[in-house]
Amino acid sequence: MENLDTKCASLRSEIAATEAQLAKLKRELRDAEESASKSRTTNNVGPTQTETRPERKWPLLGEEYRRYGRQMIVPQVGLQGQLKLRKARVLIVGAGGLGCPAALYLAGAGVGTLGLVDGDTVESSNLHRQVLHRSKNVGKFKVDSAIEYLQELNPHPTYIAHRAHLAPQESADIFKGYDLILDCTDNPATRYLVSDTAVLLGKPLVSASALRTEGQLMVLNNPPRPPGDKTGGPCYRCVFPRPPPANSVTSCADGGILGPVVGTMGVLQALEAIKVLTNDVATKEPAPPSLLIFSAYSSPQFRTIKLRSRRPTCAVCSAEASVTLESVKSESLDYVFFCGTAGLEGALSPEERITPLEYRENHSTVAGRHIIDVREKVQFDICSLDNSINIPFSQILASAPTAASEEDNGSTPLPSWLPSEIAADSKIPIYVVCRQGNDSQTAVRRLKNLGLHRGGERLIVDIKGGFRSWREQVDPEWPDY
C-alpha cells in the first residue's frame, strides 16, 4: 500500500511538472508567433503580403484584455503596468497560509512567472487557512497542489515548482531567476536567509508573518541597492539585528491561527508586490519603509510604524557587511545556530518521565492522584482527562522559578497559580501532561524547585510525549487538533 501511495505521489508530481512545462511552452510559442509576425511584416514589402500578415496592433492578447481590463483601468496600473506584470518573475518562498493567498492574487493579476518554494506536503490541518489546497490533495507536495489550482485560475502565467525547503547552498541560484521575492515562511532562520540572499542579489523583498489574531508586513530592500549604499531600503537584519529568543518563538501549531488573519497578510503581500512591480508607472520613488501591524480584535485594526533606513552596522547591507554570497552558499553562516534552538528548561531524567501506556497500566488507579494539564485553557476546553486540573503553562512561566531551601524546610511562598490541594503537605503523586511533552517537563522542574517533591518522597513526573503519544498509545479517538 505504501509503495502505491508513493507511486501516486510521484505520478502527481510528474503531471504537475509536465503541466507547468506545457504552460511555459505555450507562452514561448505565443511570444515566438508575435515576434515572427513582426519580422514578416518588416521584411516583406509587397502590398499583398503586408495586407495578409499585418503587424500585431495590440500588445496583449484579446483574452488578456478581457481578463485584466478591470485592473488596467485603474490609473496606478494602466496598460504599461499590466505589461510590466506580464514580464515580471516573482518567487514565493512558502506555499502555506501566507503564500497561498499571495500566489492566488498575483496569478490572478497576470504576473508572468510565479515560482513557489516549499518542501512540505498538504495536511488536513492546513486546509482551514491555506486556500489553494483541497482535501483531495492531502499528501501531495504543497507546490504541486498550489500550481494545480493556479493553472485552473489563470493559464497564462508560467508556474515553476521548487519542491524542497529553501537551503543556503541553493538560495542564490533559485533567487537569480526572479525580480521580486515574497517571504511567506514561518521561522526566523529562513527569514534571515531569504533577506540576506535577496539583498546580496539586489532583489526587493515583501515579508510578512501571522500568528493567532495578529500579523506584520514589511517591504524590504526597496529600492534594492548594493551593500554600503545608504539610499537602499533596510533589510530584515536592519529591523531585527538579533533574532528573538528561541524559546519565545511560537508556531501556528502551538499558538494557533485564524485563517482570515493570515489570509489578510498574504493578500497584502500580493498588493505590495504589485505596487513594487508597477511603481514607476505611478511614482518614481517607493514609499518610505514602514512596518504594518494588523490586529484582528483591536480598534483600529491597522497601525503603521515608520522604519529607519539601513543600519550603518548591518551585517548584510552596510559598508561593513560581513555576510556575502560565498558565506551563505558555503554554509559558513549557520542560520539555525544564529537563531538558536529552543531547549528545555532543565530536561528531565528518564526516572522523572513515564509513557502514557505506563500511566494507564501502573498509575491510573492510584488513589487521590493529581493530574495537572498545562495546556492553555482554550485547548483544555477542547478535550481533557477526567479529574485533571488545568494550570496554563503561561501562568507557570509568568512566575519566577524560585527554589525552596533546606533551611526554610520548603516554606518559600508558593505562587498563586498552585491550587491548595496540590500545595498541601502530602505524598499524593503528581502527573503533568501537555500537548507534545515539552511544556510538561518544564512544569515538573518548576514544581520540584518549589519543594513539592518533599525531598524525593513525593512522585512528580511528566507524561512523555503528551497527548500526541496518548492518542497513539492509549486512546486513538483522542481529538487530533
Side-chain angles (χ1 to χ4, degrees):
M1 185 66 182
E2 183 177 351
N3 290 335
L4 287 175
D5 291 339
T6 302
K7 183 177 181 180
C8 290
S10 176
L11 289 173
R12 291 192 194 100
S13 298
E14 290 181 17
I15 291 171
T18 303
E19 289 174 343
Q21 181 66 19
L22 178 60
K24 181 179 179 182
L25 290 173
K26 286 180 178 180
R27 182 178 177 83
E28 291 176 353
L29 174 61
R30 180 187 63 203
D31 293 341
E33 289 175 341
E34 292 178 359
S35 298
S37 176
K38 293 179 181 179
S39 176
R40 284 192 295 266
T41 302
T42 301
N43 296 331
N44 296 329
V45 295
T48 303
Q49 291 177 318
T50 302
E51 291 174 3
T52 57
R53 296 181 182 275
E55 180 180 1
R56 183 170 181 81
K57 187 175 181 179
W58 311 112
L60 296 175
L61 299 177
E63 201 278 331
E64 289 180 298
Y65 282 102
R66 290 188 294 272
R67 180 180 289 266
Y68 308 127
R70 298 299 187 275
Q71 73 185 29
M72 282 196 292
I73 61 177
V74 174
Q76 288 85 351
V77 179
L79 175 61
Q80 294 306 312
Q82 190 63 49
L83 292 173
K84 287 186 175 296
L85 291 176
R86 192 188 191 207
K87 294 179 181 178
R89 298 173 61 87
V90 177
L91 179 68
I92 299 175
V93 185
L98 293 167
C100 282
L104 191 66
Y105 277 94
L106 289 176
V111 168
T113 300
L114 272 178
L116 289 91
V117 180
D118 203 311
D120 286 339
T121 56
V122 179
E123 300 177 0
S124 59
S125 61
N126 303 144
L127 300 179
H128 84 105
R129 66 192 184 281
Q130 299 181 15
V131 293
L132 289 182
H133 310 310
R134 289 165 286 183
S135 297
K136 70 174 186 177
N137 284 343
V138 169
K140 192 174 184 177
F141 273 113
K142 285 186 177 181
V143 291
D144 295 332
S145 173
I147 289 175
E148 178 184 304
Y149 190 111
L150 295 173
Q151 286 174 330
E152 294 177 3
L153 172 70
N154 190 351
H156 292 292
T158 298
Y159 303 101
I160 301 175
H162 302 274
R163 301 177 188 88
H165 296 296
L166 188 68
Q169 65 270 25
E170 299 170 352
S171 60
D173 293 333
I174 294 175
F175 282 29
K176 282 179 180 177
Y178 297 91
D179 307 312
L180 175 68
I181 313 299
L182 268 65
D183 182 356
C184 300
T185 61
D186 60 359
N187 66 87
T190 308
R191 290 193 188 110
Y192 281 102
L193 170 60
V194 170
S195 176
D196 291 354
T197 308
V199 170
L200 295 171
L201 290 176
K203 313 289 184 181
L205 170 65
V206 183
S207 177
S209 62
L211 182 67
R212 299 191 179 98
T213 62
E214 299 179 344
Q216 296 182 353
L217 174 75
M218 296 180 291
V219 180
L220 302 170
N221 196 40
N222 186 43
R225 297 286 188 268
D229 189 335
K230 297 180 180 179
T231 64
C235 70
Y236 194 81
R237 286 182 187 267
C238 292
V239 183
F240 303 108
R242 287 180 289 275
N247 287 313
S248 70
V249 177
T250 304
S251 67
C252 291
D254 294 327
I257 182 69
L258 282 184
V261 171
V262 70
T264 296
M265 304 316 298
V267 171
L268 287 173
Q269 279 187 283
L271 174 61
E272 292 300 326
I274 292 173
K275 287 165 61 179
V276 171
L277 294 172
T278 62
N279 178 59
D280 61 342
V281 176
T283 177
K284 296 299 181 183
E285 292 296 330
S290 63
L291 170 65
L292 178 68
I293 299 176
F294 172 71
S295 181
Y297 286 85
S298 297
S299 182
Q301 293 179 319
F302 291 93
R303 58 193 180 96
T304 303
I305 298 175
K306 183 179 179 181
L307 296 177
R308 295 181 178 179
S309 56
R310 288 183 166 181
R311 185 180 291 269
T313 58
C314 178
V316 181
C317 66
S318 72
E320 303 177 7
S322 57
V323 177
T324 64
L325 281 177
E326 289 70 26
S327 65
V328 172
K329 284 184 176 182
S330 65
E331 297 185 83
S332 61
L333 178 59
D334 190 329
Y335 286 93
V336 175
F337 178 79
F338 173 69
C339 293
T341 55
L344 296 175
E345 183 185 298
L348 302 180
S349 64
E351 293 76 21
E352 297 173 296
R353 314 191 73 190
I354 61 172
T355 67
L357 192 59
E358 289 172 337
Y359 171 81
R360 187 187 67 175
E361 294 179 350
N362 303 321
H363 300 265
S364 60
T365 58
V366 175
R369 67 191 182 282
H370 295 304
I371 307 173
I372 298 178
D373 187 331
V374 298
R375 294 174 300 159
E376 297 303 308
K377 184 179 184 302
V378 67
Q379 297 187 45
F380 184 79
D381 290 342
I382 294 174
C383 52
S384 61
L385 296 176
D386 293 340
N387 302 316
S388 59
I389 300 171
N390 182 218
I391 305 178
F393 189 61
S394 58
Q395 293 185 20
I396 297 175
L397 288 182
S399 62
T402 56
S405 64
E406 296 181 1
E407 289 76 7
D408 60 21
N409 204 19
S411 61
T412 299
L414 297 176
S416 59
W417 51 261
L418 192 65
S420 57
E421 62 268 28
I422 294 179
D425 188 7
S426 171
K427 294 184 179 180
I428 295 177
I430 299 174
Y431 305 91
V432 186
V433 66
C434 65
R435 188 179 180 188
Q436 299 186 32
N438 295 326
D439 295 345
S440 57
Q441 294 189 68
T442 300
V444 167
R445 182 63 60 215
R446 290 290 179 96
L447 293 173
K448 288 193 171 185
N449 286 342
L450 292 171
L452 298 181
H453 63 313
R454 317 299 178 201
E457 296 180 2
R458 186 181 197 180
L459 179 68
I460 302 180
V461 296
D462 98 301
I463 297 179
K464 190 175 181 179
F467 286 117
R468 179 184 57 188
S469 296
W470 184 273
R471 184 174 59 255
E472 296 171 354
Q473 300 179 22
V474 177
D475 183 4
E477 296 184 0
W478 187 266
D480 181 12
Y481 62 91

